[in-house]
Amino acid sequence: MQLYQTNQIKLYNSLSGSKEIFQPINQGHIGMYVCGPTVYSNVHLGNVRTFMSFDMIFRYLKHLGYKVRYVRNITDAGHLENDADTGEDKITKKARLEQIEPMEVVQRYTVDFHNILNTFNFLPPSIEPTATGHIIEQIELIQNIIDNGFAYEVNGSVYFDVHKFNETNEYGILSKRKLEDLIHNTRELDGQSDKKNPQDFALWKKAEPQHIMRWPSPWSDGFPGWHLECTAMSTKYLGEQFDIHGGGMDLKFPHHECEIAQNEAAKGKSPVNYWMHANMLELNGQRMSKTTGNTVNPDELLSGNNTFFSKAYAPSVIRFFIAQSSYRSVLDLTDDGLLASEKGFYRLMDAVNILESLIASDKSTIDINTWKQKCYDAMNDDFNSPILIAQLFEASKYINGLKDGSSAISEGDLTLLKTTMHDFIFEVMGLVDSAAEGGNDGDKLAGAVELLIELRNQARANKDFATSDRIRDDLQAVGIQLKDGKDGTSFSVN
C-alpha cells in the first residue's frame, strides 16, 4: 500500500478560493505544471522562493508514492516588456544591449538558473520544455482558436478576442475580475493599435524588420505571445486536463487567466483542476525592486557580498527560513529572520546527529506514532511546512530527553523516529546536513574544534581553568557551544 492511500491532502485552490480535498484525475498519478523563468537575467530570489515551494510539494507527493510528472518550462522567446503586448522582447533587448545572439542570452541565464537551483538542492522536473522548441504546437493552437471564432488576424498579428470569449465563457474566473471592470479601468487604444479592444491579447505577433527571433507562420514571420507557450506545453505533456498548475501570485492575472481562456477557446474545457500560487518575497518589509535598489540576488545572499545582511548564509539555512512560512504567505527576508533560522537549522541538525548515537531501551516513554501522524497531518493540510517544522522541534526535545536519560525509547520506536526524521528533513524539505553541505569546510571546522577541545581538556587536567574557560567562552562567542557529558565533550554550531 502506498502512503497516498492513507493520507488525504487538502490544498488551497485559487480557482475556488478555498481548501479542497485533492483528487487526482488518475489514481496514483499526478500531472503538475509550474511556470518557469524568462531567461534574460539572473534568477530573482522571489522566483527561487516560488520554485522552492513547488519543489517541496513535488517532493512530498513523491514521498507519498504518487507517480508525478512535473513540467516546468523555460521561456526563451515571446515575453514582451509589458502585458499590453507592446515593447521589446526581453531576451532580444538583452542581446541587443550586450551585442550578442539572443540564444547566448538564453544559454547564459538558463545555466545560471540551473546552477542556483542545484545549489539549493532542488529536484529536477520531469520535463523542462522551451518555448522555442514548441513553435509548431503553438501555431496549431492559434489556428484552433481562430477556427473556433475566438481570435482574429490583423496585419500579420493574431489577437485573442476577449469580448467574444466572454459571451459564452467567463474571462476573469481565476482572478475574480469582471470584464466590465477591466473595460472601465482601461485607457482607450490609440489609433495605431491593431486590437479590437484593449483587453485582447496577442497570440502571434508579426516581427518588425529589426526583430531577430522570428518564425514562419500562416499569418507572418513573427513570434508567439507569451501566454500561449504554457497552454501549448502543459497540455502536450500533461493532457487537455491535468491536476495542478502552479506559479507565483503575480502570474494569476493576466498570465494564468489567459491560459484558461486559451484552453477553453481551443479545447472547450478548463485545463486545470487545482490552481496554486506562491506569494511574494519582500526584503526588509518592502517589495524587492531593482529600481529602488531594494534587492539581493541568490549569489549575493549565499556569499555575503551585499549591504543587507551581516554574513553569508548556507543554502539549507535559506531553504529552512523559507519553509518556516506558508507558501501562500508574504515572506519578509531580514537578517534577524535568517539568523534565527540559522540557529533553528543547526539545532535540528544537532538532534539528527544525536539520534544516530542513541541506544534503545526495553520500552518507550514517548508516543512516536502519534508524533509521526502529526507530521503527515501538517503536510496534508495544504503543505503546511511551518507546522511540520514545529513537530520536528518537538522531536528534538524528545531526542534531548533520550540523551540525558529522562526518557526512554524502544528499538522499534527508535527506528521509526530515525526514519521519520530523515524522511521529512532531507527527503521532503530538501535540507542538507550542515557538514555535508560545507564539504571539506565542514570537516575542517570539526577538526579545528576537536583540537581546541583537546587543548581545553589538557588545561583542565593541569588545573589551568582560566585557559579552559577562555576556550569555551571564545568558541561560544562565535556560535560554537561545547557540551560536557559522561562520554566526553561534544559541540554544536548555533
Side-chain angles (χ1 to χ4, degrees):
M1 178 180 287
Q2 296 289 353
L3 284 170
Y4 68 77
Q5 293 174 285
T6 56
N7 285 276
Q8 186 177 75
I9 294 174
K10 291 185 72 175
L11 57 80
Y12 184 86
N13 189 352
S14 298
L15 193 61
S16 66
S18 62
K19 286 184 185 179
E20 299 178 9
I21 294 173
F22 176 65
Q23 298 282 2
I25 294 170
N26 298 303
Q27 186 178 7
H29 295 75
I30 294 175
M32 182 169 77
Y33 186 93
V34 172
C35 292
T38 301
V39 283
Y40 72 100
S41 65
N42 298 107
V43 62
H44 190 278
L45 198 58
N47 290 339
V48 171
R49 190 252 175 130
T50 294
F51 300 135
M52 195 174 287
S53 298
F54 286 102
D55 180 66
M56 185 175 66
I57 290 168
F58 178 41
R59 285 170 173 273
Y60 185 62
L61 295 175
K62 284 169 62 70
H63 171 73
L64 292 182
Y66 284 108
K67 292 183 178 179
V68 186
R69 178 175 288 179
Y70 175 22
V71 182
R72 187 186 65 214
N73 71 301
I74 295 285
T75 297
D76 57 353
H79 194 165
L80 301 184
E81 290 180 287
N82 63 60
D83 292 324
D85 299 319
T86 59
E88 196 170 358
D89 181 290
K90 293 184 177 184
I91 292 167
T92 301
K93 180 179 181 179
K94 186 77 169 184
R96 177 175 58 77
L97 293 174
E98 298 195 10
Q99 296 185 325
I100 57 177
E101 284 288 326
M103 280 299 148
E104 288 184 80
V105 174
V106 168
Q107 179 69 8
R108 175 188 301 173
Y109 294 114
T110 301
V111 169
D112 170 75
F113 174 67
H114 288 149
N115 286 342
I116 290 296
L117 266 55
N118 288 338
T119 299
F120 285 110
N121 195 35
F122 278 61
L123 295 178
S126 314
I127 304 172
E128 193 172 52
T130 63
T132 57
H134 295 78
I135 299 296
I136 292 174
E137 289 85 352
Q138 293 179 76
I139 289 173
E140 290 175 349
L141 186 62
I142 293 169
Q143 191 60 60
N144 284 344
I145 296 173
I146 292 173
D147 292 344
N148 290 338
F150 294 110
Y152 56 92
E153 182 268 332
V154 181
N155 297 326
S157 293
V158 180
Y159 296 96
F160 189 94
D161 192 334
V162 171
H163 287 242
K164 180 68 180 297
F165 174 80
N166 202 56
E167 292 174 4
T168 53
N169 302 75
E170 185 180 352
Y171 184 76
I173 189 171
L174 178 64
S175 59
K176 310 299 184 284
R177 303 182 188 214
K178 297 294 183 183
L179 183 57
E180 295 78 10
D181 296 332
L182 295 172
I183 294 170
H184 179 73
N185 294 321
T186 305
R187 291 180 301 168
E188 290 296 318
L189 292 169
D190 61 41
Q192 298 183 14
S193 176
D194 291 330
K195 294 182 182 180
K196 289 182 181 179
N197 299 286
Q199 295 76 35
D200 297 349
F201 56 89
L203 299 175
W204 186 266
K205 290 282 284 184
K206 180 181 180 180
E208 298 297 328
Q210 71 272 16
H211 199 97
I212 301 171
M213 302 180 79
R214 59 174 67 215
W215 291 266
S217 79
W219 314 285
S220 65
D221 280 3
F223 53 93
W226 171 45
H227 307 306
L228 192 69
E229 64 174 277
C230 289
T231 299
M233 292 187 287
S234 62
T235 53
K236 175 173 182 176
Y237 295 111
L238 299 176
E240 292 183 1
Q241 287 185 301
F242 56 96
D243 298 300
I244 298 171
H245 193 315
M249 193 75 73
D250 57 318
L251 297 180
K252 185 184 289 188
F253 186 88
H255 185 54
H256 290 163
E257 199 72 72
C258 293
E259 281 191 58
I260 293 174
Q262 288 166 164
N263 210 79
E264 290 184 353
K267 311 292 185 181
K269 60 183 73 171
S270 183
V272 181
N273 285 347
Y274 304 92
W275 286 88
M276 299 180 67
H277 293 93
N279 217 323
M280 292 190 306
L281 181 69
E282 294 182 342
L283 179 59
N284 293 325
Q286 297 180 349
R287 184 169 181 170
M288 286 195 183
S289 169
K290 290 183 180 179
T291 305
T292 62
N294 191 56
T295 185
V296 60
N297 68 36
D299 278 331
E300 291 169 340
L301 186 57
L302 292 164
S303 67
N305 184 25
N306 63 81
T307 59
F308 296 100
F309 300 96
S310 60
K311 56 179 288 185
Y313 291 98
S316 281
V317 170
I318 299 168
R319 189 166 182 129
F320 185 69
F321 169 80
I322 289 174
Q324 286 181 292
S325 178
S326 165
Y327 74 93
R328 290 196 290 120
S329 300
V330 175
L331 177 59
D332 189 16
L333 183 66
T334 65
D335 196 41
D336 287 344
L338 281 170
L339 286 169
S341 290
E342 186 177 54
K343 290 180 180 179
F345 170 73
Y346 285 122
R347 273 171 47 212
L348 206 55
M349 292 302 106
D350 285 344
V352 170
N353 293 329
I354 293 169
L355 186 56
E356 294 304 315
S357 62
L358 293 179
I359 299 173
S361 302
D362 293 334
K363 61 179 182 178
S364 295
T365 58
I366 49 181
D367 188 345
I368 297 300
N369 280 297
T370 298
W371 165 80
K372 174 187 173 182
Q373 188 55 52
K374 287 180 180 179
C375 291
Y376 281 99
D377 289 345
M379 289 301 289
N380 292 340
D381 183 16
D382 197 30
F383 312 101
N384 198 327
S385 53
I387 300 299
L388 170 63
I389 289 171
Q391 291 302 324
L392 295 174
F393 279 128
E394 279 297 310
S396 297
K397 293 179 184 177
Y398 296 157
I399 291 166
N400 289 324
L402 293 168
K403 181 186 177 186
D404 65 25
S406 60
S407 300
I409 192 168
S410 68
E411 187 72 44
D413 280 350
L414 180 59
T415 300
L416 182 61
L417 179 58
K418 287 180 179 180
T419 301
T420 307
M421 288 286 280
H422 180 277
D423 286 349
F424 281 103
I425 293 172
F426 302 117
E427 185 179 320
V428 174
M429 293 181 65
L431 301 177
V432 176
D433 184 86
S434 51
E437 192 167 60
N440 290 333
D441 290 341
D443 295 339
K444 291 174 183 176
L445 173 63
V449 175
E450 291 295 344
L451 176 61
L452 289 169
I453 289 173
E454 185 178 336
L455 292 173
R456 178 172 176 261
N457 289 339
Q458 290 176 5
R460 294 170 77 184
N462 295 331
K463 300 189 184 304
D464 183 2
F465 297 114
T467 300
S468 168
D469 291 347
R470 182 181 176 186
I471 292 172
R472 180 199 63 203
D473 294 343
D474 286 356
L475 285 173
Q476 187 168 3
V478 295
I480 298 171
Q481 184 174 1
L482 299 185
K483 299 175 183 178
D484 296 318
K486 61 181 180 180
D487 296 322
T489 303
S490 62
F491 74 93
S492 62
V493 181
N494 296 322

